[in-house]
Amino acid sequence: MSDTLIRLAGVEKSFVKGKEKISIFEHLDMTIPRGDFVAIMGPSGSGKTTLLNLLGGIDSPTAGEIQFAGERIDSHSERQLSKWRSDHVGFIFQFYNLMPMLNAAQNVELPLLLKPLSASQRKNNVAAALEVVSLSDRAKHFPREMSGGQQQRVAIARAIVSDPQMLLCDEPTGDLDRTVADEILGVLQLLNRELGKTIVMVTHDPAAARYAKRTLHLDKGKFVEREELAA
Amino acid sequence: MSLASQVSAVVSMNVKSIGQRFWPSVSTALAVALVVVVLLSFLAMANGFQKTMRGAGRDDIAIVLRAGSQAELNSGLTRDQVRLIGEGPGVVRDANGDAVISSELYLIVDGVKRDTGTKANLPLRGIGAAGAGLRDGLKIVEGRMFASGANELLVGRALQREFRGFDVGSTVRFGKTQWTVVGAFETGGTVFESEFWADLPVVQSLFNRGAAVQTVRAKMTSPEAVAQLKAYSDNDPRLKLDVVSENAYFADQASGTTNLIAKLGWPLAIAMAFGAIAGALNTMYSSVASRTREIATLRAIGYGGFPAFVGTLVESLVLAAIGGVIGAAAAFLFFDGLSAATLGASFTQVVFQFALTPALMLNGLILGMVIGLIGGLLPAMRAARIPIVAGLAER
């Protein structure tokens, strides 16, 4: 049990649109061990991003339980979830979601401002995170001065700077060409292998999924097939 | 500490992002600036007028008018009344034992404004021998004092500045009378500078007023002596008079016009402020809309809603403060010291200068900040309540 980082049990998710109730998940069970690298694939509307949002505590299930390291997060308040996310989760988005008015180092520093760290501690952590993604020389560059791949590296540095256990990636290479995408996926694989980060990655791209240890296929709110792949 | 860091980081991001919405931000700041300029122009006008009127008054000079006349123009005193006032208690006497009083006649003559070319009523004051000595800070800045018994005029500097044809040495005609301007005077910008002065007997004679005077100014031994003179007047049935100190008289004369200007200025500025608030709301809503994904990203990272609220509000306040400062600076540059003339309580022109003080400018800045606060409040609440999932889905 100690190896299980995330457990979903009987998770339901639905919302009401007009008079119609739309169900995303009716009864979803899932377990992700610590140190896993899972790719989640599936057609549009299958619930991939909703699942990622539930795992990241930015959306809540209609019913069922979500546990993280044995702790139920589905019953947390908004404030508790904010704190939980800052402690345990790093997000990586398709369009990087960097703050355009901040340079790379300032973007990476954002999660650290939530921690009781001194300015010099924050500076050291930012430098270390940028080092991991090989962008130390771009610390003072603004997003508009960087390529898509570099921006995604900054986003990865921001996701790992406060040393979270889990990285949630929503189409992290969806906006990048193949070569750059492979570089980014290589970085994620490195983070999983070397630093032991548990990674859940939503992707449409089978080539991207091959970097994961296993792939889950989601369709109409259900896992329809499970493949365990050696990366 | 964490909340303070969050708030400071988000505020800094908001302020830095102002440049990304340059033109909407400029238009909001200018709308606030315009409101502040309008308000400050009215307040400067009211303050300048009040300063001009009140600056003229001394508390140890009594003005004596016919009871109920309210203004010099409506007053009239008999020769006996003037004599009795001179004998009153508390009136200063000179070395010869004569009361230091000035009987004065206040008439209306015509003048033409330099800027508009329109005719206006100007006051011509006939003053007694002691009259000039009863005006504080009197300085003849050009020419000389009028000679006793001559058709000579001394002209106030403010009047000379605003109305044409009264240069020293020029000859002017009022009705059938002809006068020579022999000097110009200043009294530190008070209402007296909006007047012509001439020798009282000459004015009485040329305007067929016999021995009539309208007011008496009496130099008193102390400010408290004004009350003694009033009591003396009230107890003598021959003296149905109003006795007030000069500064009380001018304060009363100023209050009507000052209140009117100020009461016009505030509602106008507040009406315009509603327009500026609409502009600020629009700018701040668009700011929040354009930053929805950024705000949602911060929330996903772990930031709370409160920093987003404060950040948006501060952005709005910064725009308002920029507008307020621009407005106050513009009002100072364009209006402070501006000379204008308006109708005073005696139906004659009072020349005054717009006067902006730091306290008035603070009023303008406060109004600007209120616009920023109201204009930023609702967008800030929206920023704090952006649902993370929907915000992240924004493109």
Side-chain angles (χ1 to χ4, degrees), chain B residues 39 42-43 261-272 363-364 367:
Chain B
L39 176 68
F42 275 92
L43 294 183
I261 296 170
K263 280 177 184 167
L264 206 64
W266 273 106
L268 188 65
I270 287 170
M272 288 183 69
N363 273 333
L367 179 64

Side-chain angles (χ1 to χ4, degrees), chain A residues 53 58-59 78 82-83 85-86 91 93-95 97-102 106 110-111 113-117 122 158, chain B residues 1-3 5-6 9 12-14 16-17 20 291 293-295 297-304 388-389 392 395:
Chain A
N53 292 339
I58 56 177
D59 202 354
E78 186 75 24
S82 290
K83 171 80 170 67
R85 286 195 298 270
S86 75
F91 288 94
F93 304 98
Q94 179 178 359
F95 298 105
N97 291 20
L98 300 179
M99 305 297 139
M101 72 297 285
L102 303 182
Q106 289 167 331
L110 284 171
L113 296 172
L114 303 170
K115 309 284 178 192
L117 298 174
R122 292 202 301 269
R158 180 180 66 188
Chain B
M1 178 193 164
S2 161
L3 184 65
S5 306
Q6 288 182 53
S12 156
M13 278 186 266
N14 273 78
K16 283 178 182 172
S17 72
Q20 293 170 353
R291 300 187 60 246
R293 191 149 62 110
E294 292 168 19
I295 294 168
T297 303
L298 288 172
R299 298 291 311 280
I301 288 173
Y303 282 67
I388 303 175
V389 173
L392 289 174
R395 288 289 179 264

